[in-house]
Amino acid sequence: MIVLGIETSCDETALGLVEDGRKILATQTASSLKLHQPYGGVVPEIASRAHVELLTYELETLLASAKVAASQVDQIAVTYGPGLAGSLAVGLAAAKALGIAWGKPVIGVNHLQAHLYAAFMTQGEIPFEGPAIGLVVSGGHTALVRMDGLKGFKLLGQTLDDAVGEAFDKVAKLLGLGFPGGPEIERVGAGGNPKAFRFTTPKIKGGSPYDFSFSGIKTAVMYKVKAKEGGGLSADFVADLAASFESSVVEEIVMKSLAACSQFRIRRLAAGGGVVANRRLRGRLTQVASDFKIDLALPEIPLSTDNGAMIAGLGFRLKARLLSELTTVADLSVEMS
Ligand code: KG4
Ligand code: ZN
């Protein structure tokens, strides 16, 4: 069965054609990133307009590159949340219109669950079904969940302030680097010493032991930068600061993921979201998984950031809804399908 996936929750207009939930026939991703760069962050109105302008061309290119006719598409899967309300609305309207025009069912997909599903798309040996700890680290979300295939997703903890990707973006801005900050911090930090600066993460009182907080590290970086003000930031200083920040954040995420696996006696860990493109994080996750005999499902780098294939992939496994019942939910929880 061929599923078309439509993802427009943020600045990427992303489409994917996937057969039987795993085999990627084609993907197409355009981003309005350049339009947002002058503002140092995604501007919702600009993102929605870009989706409107890009979607038709993207779809035609996708079908042509896969040599798939519209009539061969069996289902349409679309992100219905969480995300920017206007951007989600454009994707959902497109999905509904195609559903009506092609006479095909439309399936609403939870973006966060799809990020976790992406981890299993390229790992034939690790089945999606069965208990696993799921780590979602993206620009808008940071969460640890207990998951069991389609049986459900239970939130264990989440960020109390900035999402991990957001912290990367803000620290990059402080260091005078470009947007999005994650890849920039990774590039610049590759030449730095991760032990040059010591950043500690706060012990969170109350709440869940799996909650996160990153605003403290961000503020600590800000003070280090301020202390240098006037003298300018040397390339070595920026590289060391980027590497130290990246390494502290990665350790925090990896240790909490490991603690969840240990507490719930689950030897399977899946990670998803844009920050999973980070090589230091991938390296550390791979290392601890090997040390503690945990099966690790990691998406390939292009499937870590927002993409249409993960939406089509998970959509293959979900039931279609009546078009009238399918609405966008900007603050959709990871637990809702
Ligand atoms: O999942 P995603 O593409 O979009 C959301 O759903 O938010 O994640 C985007 C986030 C951005 O904050 C970006 O800085 C971060 O992922 N990111 C990275 C890397 N590549 C993207 N963070 C750290 N290292 C990277 N290599
Ligand atoms: Zn995402």
Side-chain angles (χ1 to χ4, degrees):
M1 180 186 281
I2 297 180
V3 181
L4 164 67
I6 303 178
E7 156 59 42
T8 63
S9 66
C10 193
D11 61 325
E12 254 108 22
T13 314
L15 300 175
L17 272 181
V18 174
E19 194 169 351
D20 297 338
R22 270 185 190 249
K23 188 174 173 210
I24 299 172
L25 305 178
T27 59
Q28 192 68 34
T29 305
S31 172
S32 52
L33 194 70
K34 284 215 154 52
L35 302 175
H36 305 289
Q37 262 158 354
Y39 306 96
V42 175
V43 182
E45 181 57 26
I46 294 178
S48 320
R49 280 167 194 259
H51 290 311
V52 172
E53 283 162 19
L54 291 165
L55 261 171
T56 314
Y57 169 79
E58 290 279 292
L59 180 62
E60 282 170 359
T61 313
L62 179 88
L63 294 172
S65 71
K67 298 195 173 52
V68 166
S71 58
Q72 291 172 274
V73 174
D74 298 293
Q75 288 186 352
I76 299 154
V78 60
T79 303
Y80 76 101
L84 302 171
S87 291
L88 289 168
V90 176
L92 186 64
K96 287 185 175 184
L98 290 172
I100 292 166
W102 295 350
K104 297 293 158 73
V106 180
I107 294 131
V109 175
N110 181 319
H111 179 85
L112 302 176
Q113 294 179 2
H115 267 309
L116 289 172
Y117 180 81
F120 299 93
M121 287 185 79
T122 40
Q123 312 259 332
E125 68 277 16
I126 305 181
F128 174 58
E129 292 74 21
I133 295 296
L135 167 73
V136 183
V137 276
S138 71
H141 297 87
T142 301
L144 264 172
V145 299
R146 266 178 91 168
M147 55 190 283
D148 190 352
L150 290 181
K151 287 192 192 141
F153 294 77
K154 176 95 188 70
L155 185 65
L156 299 176
Q158 59 191 329
T159 184
L160 303 177
D161 38 61
D162 294 341
V164 183
E166 191 181 356
F168 270 89
D169 295 338
K170 288 179 176 171
V171 165
K173 206 170 181 178
L174 287 171
L175 296 178
L177 303 171
F179 176 82
E184 287 290 295
I185 298 256
E186 175 165 8
R187 181 179 61 78
V188 172
N193 172 9
K195 296 203 169 97
F197 299 98
R198 212 167 212 295
F199 295 117
T200 48
T201 42
K203 291 265 168 301
I204 297 165
K205 293 201 188 79
S208 156
Y210 303 110
D211 281 342
F212 298 89
S213 167
F214 298 103
S215 67
I217 299 191
K218 180 193 64 190
T219 309
V221 172
M222 189 184 79
Y223 282 123
K224 297 252 180 286
V225 170
K226 277 219 155 105
K228 290 268 173 186
E229 235 160 27
L233 306 180
S234 74
D236 283 348
F237 175 80
V238 171
D240 285 349
L241 210 44
S244 302
F245 163 78
E246 183 185 60
S247 153
S248 309
V249 170
V250 163
E251 282 318 301
E252 170 76 357
I253 305 168
V254 170
M255 286 308 140
K256 287 205 168 145
S257 305
L258 199 56
C261 288
S262 159
Q263 186 191 339
F264 297 103
R265 298 180 190 284
I266 295 176
R267 290 189 174 273
R268 271 156 43 101
L269 174 63
V275 182
V276 175
N278 184 277
R279 283 176 182 77
R280 194 185 300 269
L281 176 58
R282 298 176 81 87
R284 285 290 290 139
L285 284 173
T286 307
Q287 198 178 357
V288 297
S290 151
D291 290 350
F292 292 91
K293 308 219 166 6
I294 290 169
D295 285 335
L296 175 67
L298 272 188
E300 282 177 7
I301 288 178
L303 287 189
S304 303
T305 45
D306 288 350
N307 66 87
M310 66 183 191
I311 306 301
L314 182 54
F316 167 72
R317 291 159 185 264
L318 302 176
K319 288 205 171 56
R321 305 203 194 158
L322 289 175
L323 289 190
S324 56
E325 285 175 6
L326 197 49
T327 51
T328 60
V329 183
D331 60 351
L332 187 68
S333 148
V334 67
E335 297 186 342
M336 302 293 296
S337 12

